[in-house]
Amino acid sequence: MTAEWQPTACILCECNCGIVVQVEDGHLAKIRGDKNHPASQGYTCNKALRLDHYQNNRARLTSPMRRRPDGTYEEIDWDTAIVEIAEGFRHIRDTYGGDKIFYYGGGGQGNHLGGAYSGAFLKALGSKYRSNALAQEKTGEAWVDGHLYGGHTRGEFEHAEVAVFVGKNPWMSQSFPRARVVLNEIAKDPARSMIVIDPVVTDTAKMSDFHLRVHPGTDAWCLAAMAAVLVQESLCDEAFLAEHVRGADTVRDALRDVSVRDYALRCGVDEELVRAAARRIGTAASVAVFEDLGIQQAPNSTLSSYLNKLLWIFTGNFAKKGGQHLHSSVASLFSTVSGRTPVTGAPIIAGLVPSNVVPEEILTDHPDRFRAMIVESGNPAHSLADSTACREAFRSLELMVVVDVAMTETARLAHYVLPAASQYEKPEATFFNFEFPHNGFHLRRPLLEPLGGTLPEPEIWARLVRALGVVDDADLRPLREAALRGRQAYAEAFLSAVSANPTLARLVPYVLYETLGPTLPDGMAGAAAVWGLAQKVAMTYPEAVRRAGHADGNALFDAILDSPSGVVFTAHNYEDDFALIGHADHKIALEIPEMLADLRALAEAPLRLTTAEFPIVLSVGERRAYTANDIIRDPSWRKRDTDGALRVSVEDAQHLGLVDGGRARISTAAGSAEATVEVTETMLAGHAALPNGFGLDYVGPDGQTVVPGVAPNALTSTRWRDPYAGTPWHKHVPARIELCPAG
């Protein structure tokens, strides 16, 4: 064992907490929190201790794979794979157009650098349509954010007097630094309060001062009632609204018409509890709000995103300590690209095609259908709604290439599978940089050499760009020479080159990798793209970068390289928040006509979407102590809930004859599956839940393939989706549950 503790990060949720690791014989033998990490400060949850199950799992690939005509796969060498794949995509581009090549992925919870380099290959081909997991969750909120202030906000929960969690269980899903420490601090402080809106008695709800236990799918009525209380009881911050918000009066007029009593009745929460929670928000010195999948994958999801933001905007909880903040970013996970998809005309929000329409964009004879697909660090055949339709669509493609560490369910449908180095075998980073006033970035160094036969994604994409022959090596030579003379010489040569050569300007990550990459420390060539990002950050937030101790983009890049535990890249003042608002007047634009129309429509909208045939609301993808999306396929890491139990209420269990540990069949309009039952008081009658991360096959030590639990998207439908963003209603699937017959 190497006695040295090496800094890196956990990759199992968006927090990417800093950890230190001791490596032994290729294994992550010992893991603990990194006290030097600027955000997590030594904190980590139990999941990080299981990361060796990701690094050393039997599903790792060690050779490029090519599908034979009979559907089986054969190993091929890298040179053959690169030539054939490049030629295949060139053929698609030249025959049908590069826009017929669809890209899905770009990184999981902690591997975003590869996605930066794939962009160069896509631009070389003329590919323009893309999607990823965010289009299953966050695009509705992004649509609202874009209208309100043109950016993404995050609550400063560490200092908030009142923390509000809507469809969010941070005790289990984390999502902000030191989550459990902060939650405990709030719960123990009599001067602070926690408000949870959730139909489930989650770990966080148990700690809360106000648990608004709404009926599944009725969050919009609850949020509208709370916002109405703020308006009707004069709890708004009038000075803030007058100075920093436009359109507030129109929104207030709509909320004055809301019957708090009726809406409380509709969502199943006592009216006085609704009022008490709203009053606590309206009288607090600071409020921070976090919404998550519980509302983002449910009916009225985009409306709910809008309504919960009214809670902190009306009360002026922006640009203050403990409030809600816009923030800096190293690289945006969303783009400004909008429009419609070529076949179905679905809205493209933040540059992302709605995941639910992907099969429809392929399974058609429409001339503009997607004909080829690249999947990078994603598993859409398993993770998108209606897996059956997804797999049918992927099989019909003329060319499909998957880049991943494992032979995933999606990889088994591809024509070529390219084995990537793991996240601990290459430089990596996350662009989930959401904190304020101090925001951090962590460039992780490789802990291990890449597994034999694998390549880091930057090298894979560079080889593919080379194979296309779109860049003359002579154009790169001056940049290579400048890189040897130092950062400033390189910066001057780079700006000159990309200004004069449009091809180089389109392929910036590739250019950086080929020219700056070779001069970086051993094993860190893949970090070259970060140099470009550092320059952009320094130009976008010059004062905040200097305040964080970095003179310019070059200094910031060197600090990133020299800080193995991460570095603070911006230090803002609270008043900077107003300058980060994207509108020309730097005011929040509160009036969104579509949302106000939907708000008014709530008065007559149906409460229930279940039917006599499917009377129970099934929520799929629940996060639990031993679930981690698809990233850990090895089921042995789970110390409990090894089958991913179906959680049902005591009332439903009694009515259906279910027993704890027994078996039940779940049926929906999309399919059916069997699961082990867990009877629990945390679920409301008529509400059941299945976890995420199950239904993945795995070859065990005995050579036998096991598939623990239920693959959630065997039960979901692409038709049940938000009308604005197309996000799926995974948390509200009408279902029928029956006792499995004995034997």
Side-chain angles (χ1 to χ4, degrees):
M1 182 187 297
T2 58
E4 178 187 6
W5 288 92
Q6 302 181 65
T8 184
C10 178
I11 56 174
L12 299 182
C13 89
E14 68 183 81
C15 283
N16 301 116
C17 296
I19 56 174
V20 289
V21 176
Q22 285 188 337
V23 177
E24 179 181 5
D25 297 329
H27 288 269
L28 310 182
K30 292 185 178 181
I31 299 171
R32 68 187 188 199
D34 183 0
K35 296 180 180 179
N36 295 320
H37 191 273
S40 57
Q41 303 171 26
Y43 171 90
T44 186
C45 74
N46 65 297
K47 295 184 182 183
L49 306 180
R50 312 297 175 189
L51 282 166
D52 195 57
H53 289 278
Y54 158 79
Q55 173 60 31
N56 290 285
N57 77 84
R58 296 174 185 275
R60 287 290 302 272
L61 292 168
T62 57
S63 170
M65 307 292 286
R66 178 174 60 196
R67 195 169 79 197
R68 298 187 181 101
D70 65 359
T72 60
Y73 285 85
E74 60 184 346
E75 294 185 358
I76 57 174
D77 62 83
W78 273 102
D79 289 344
T80 299
I82 295 296
V83 168
E84 292 184 4
I85 290 170
E87 180 55 39
F89 282 119
R90 185 186 289 113
H91 171 74
I92 297 290
R93 178 196 64 188
D94 295 346
T95 305
Y96 308 110
D99 61 339
K100 309 307 184 295
I101 300 169
F102 178 61
Y103 175 84
Y104 185 93
Q109 296 287 20
N111 58 319
H112 291 150
L113 282 188
Y117 292 98
S118 61
F121 181 63
L122 295 170
K123 288 181 179 179
L125 291 170
S127 173
K128 59 185 286 190
Y129 295 107
R130 63 183 296 152
S131 191
N132 58 39
L134 293 175
Q136 290 217 94
E137 307 166 359
K138 306 299 180 184
T139 42
E141 182 184 16
W143 184 85
V144 171
D145 284 344
H147 283 78
L148 291 175
Y149 30 68
H152 175 265
T153 61
R154 175 58 61 88
E156 193 181 4
F157 296 96
E158 183 178 7
H159 300 299
E161 180 182 325
V162 174
V164 184
F165 300 110
V166 189
K168 174 70 177 174
N169 178 17
W171 184 268
M172 197 58 67
S173 59
Q174 311 290 323
S175 299
F176 57 87
R178 304 169 55 252
R180 293 185 178 181
V181 173
V182 172
L183 291 173
N184 275 322
E185 289 173 349
I186 297 172
K188 293 176 181 178
D189 189 340
R192 303 172 74 184
S193 295
M194 192 185 308
I195 299 171
V196 171
I197 303 174
D198 201 307
V200 180
V201 184
T202 64
D203 307 89
T204 309
K206 292 175 184 176
M207 307 173 71
S208 68
D209 302 277
F210 304 85
H211 179 197
L212 281 62
R213 198 178 185 190
V214 295
H215 293 317
T218 64
D219 305 85
W221 283 271
C222 182
L223 291 163
M226 294 175 71
V229 171
L230 296 177
V231 169
Q232 295 171 16
E233 297 190 9
S234 301
L235 295 171
C236 300
D237 186 331
E238 298 300 336
F240 176 85
L241 294 175
E243 185 174 358
H244 299 294
V245 179
R246 51 184 162 88
D249 288 343
T250 306
V251 181
R252 273 194 283 213
D253 287 344
L255 290 168
R256 287 193 182 99
D257 294 335
V258 168
S259 168
V260 175
R261 175 175 298 178
D262 180 47
Y263 280 33
L265 184 64
R266 283 170 168 260
C267 69
V269 181
D270 181 77
E271 179 189 353
E272 285 309 309
L273 180 58
V274 171
R275 290 186 180 278
R279 289 165 185 157
R280 186 67 182 94
I281 291 170
T283 56
S286 59
V287 177
V289 182
F290 203 130
E291 66 167 82
D292 210 353
L293 274 61
I295 62 166
Q296 291 171 345
Q297 294 186 333
N300 296 306
S301 58
T302 299
L303 176 61
S304 293
S305 291
Y306 176 67
L307 293 173
N308 85 70
K309 294 174 193 300
L310 299 184
L311 301 180
W312 58 264
I313 295 174
F314 269 129
T315 53
N317 282 289
F318 178 71
K320 61 162 65 170
K321 188 174 183 178
Q324 207 78 8
H325 304 286
L326 290 161
H327 53 79
S328 59
S329 61
V330 171
S332 176
L333 294 171
F334 293 121
S335 79
T336 57
V337 174
S338 60
R340 298 277 174 175
T341 60
V343 174
T344 65
I348 296 172
I349 298 174
L352 299 177
V353 169
S355 301
N356 276 330
V357 305
V358 170
E360 298 171 67
E361 298 286 335
I362 298 171
L363 291 172
T364 174
D365 59 1
H366 194 288
D368 292 329
R369 67 186 181 274
F370 298 145
R371 295 175 180 268
M373 187 170 175
I374 299 169
V375 178
E376 180 183 10
S377 298
N379 191 7
H382 178 83
S383 60
L384 298 190
D386 196 347
S387 299
T388 301
C390 287
R391 293 175 188 185
E392 181 185 356
F394 299 160
R395 288 190 187 99
S396 74
L397 291 164
E398 295 180 34
L399 177 61
M400 184 176 185
V401 175
V402 169
V403 180
D404 213 313
V405 298
M407 198 68 171
T408 64
E409 287 71 19
T410 305
R412 293 194 195 93
L413 305 171
H415 296 91
Y416 295 89
V417 186
L418 300 180
S422 83
Q423 294 193 44
Y424 296 108
E425 298 167 351
K426 63 195 174 195
E428 260 302 354
T430 175
F431 299 143
F432 291 134
N433 316 113
F434 300 147
E435 304 315 313
F436 186 97
H438 299 94
N439 209 353
F441 180 75
H442 187 191
L443 177 66
R444 311 185 316 259
R445 300 174 180 178
L447 301 179
L448 301 155
E449 290 294 322
L451 194 65
T454 70
L455 290 175
E457 289 94 336
E459 178 63 21
I460 294 174
W461 297 117
R463 292 188 184 191
L464 285 167
V465 172
R466 290 175 207 146
L468 290 177
V470 294
V471 177
D472 191 328
D473 198 62
D475 293 328
L476 299 177
R477 193 174 301 118
L479 288 172
R480 291 191 176 107
E481 294 170 354
L484 296 172
R485 298 197 300 271
R487 297 276 188 267
Q488 189 57 38
Y490 183 78
E492 294 170 1
F494 177 83
L495 291 173
S496 176
V498 298
S499 298
N501 189 327
T503 299
L504 296 186
R506 286 191 300 120
L507 308 178
V508 164
Y510 169 75
V511 172
L512 292 172
Y513 181 76
E514 292 285 78
T515 59
L516 180 63
T519 70
L520 299 182
D522 186 41
M524 294 296 287
V530 177
W531 179 85
L533 297 175
Q535 307 305 315
K536 186 175 181 179
V537 167
M539 289 187 288
T540 306
Y541 319 103
E543 291 301 321
V545 168
R546 284 192 285 271
R547 208 177 286 125
H550 317 296
D552 55 22
N554 284 331
L556 174 58
F557 179 62
D558 286 336
I560 289 170
L561 281 178
D562 296 338
S563 305
S565 292
V567 64
V568 172
F569 68 91
T570 52
H572 281 283
N573 294 320
Y574 284 103
E575 58 267 24
D576 293 348
D577 253 341
F578 296 108
L580 295 176
I581 296 175
H583 303 310
D585 60 1
H586 297 295
K587 290 187 176 183
I588 296 172
L590 201 60
E591 181 181 353
I592 303 178
E594 299 94 327
M595 295 292 94
L596 295 183
D598 282 4
L599 170 60
R600 294 186 178 99
L602 286 179
E604 304 298 331
L607 279 173
R608 297 187 181 277
L609 299 173
T610 51
T611 64
E613 182 182 7
F614 300 115
I616 289 178
V617 173
L618 173 67
S619 295
V620 301
E622 184 182 37
R623 292 174 178 172
R624 299 179 185 173
Y626 287 94
T627 63
N629 299 325
D630 296 350
I631 195 169
I632 299 182
R633 302 182 70 87
D634 179 0
S636 68
W637 81 289
R638 298 187 175 99
K639 301 303 179 184
R640 60 177 184 271
D641 194 23
T642 56
D643 292 328
L646 172 71
R647 288 180 172 168
V648 300
S649 69
V650 174
E651 297 88 343
D652 287 332
Q654 292 173 345
H655 176 68
L656 298 170
L658 305 177
V659 296
D660 203 63
R663 300 284 289 177
R665 172 162 291 277
I666 316 109
S667 299
T668 70
S672 62
E674 291 186 9
T676 300
V677 172
E678 178 186 340
V679 181
T680 170
E681 294 180 349
T682 64
M683 304 300 296
L684 281 170
H687 190 205
L690 283 168
N692 68 335
F694 281 84
L696 301 166
D697 59 53
Y698 184 77
V699 178
D702 58 0
Q704 298 296 311
T705 298
V706 296
V707 186
V710 175
N713 287 304
L715 301 171
T716 60
S717 169
T718 59
R719 302 291 179 182
W720 289 70
R721 60 193 186 218
D722 182 77
Y724 294 96
T727 44
W729 292 351
H730 286 345
K731 307 305 180 188
H732 203 95
V733 182
R736 180 176 65 253
I737 299 175
E738 302 164 291
L739 176 68
C740 283

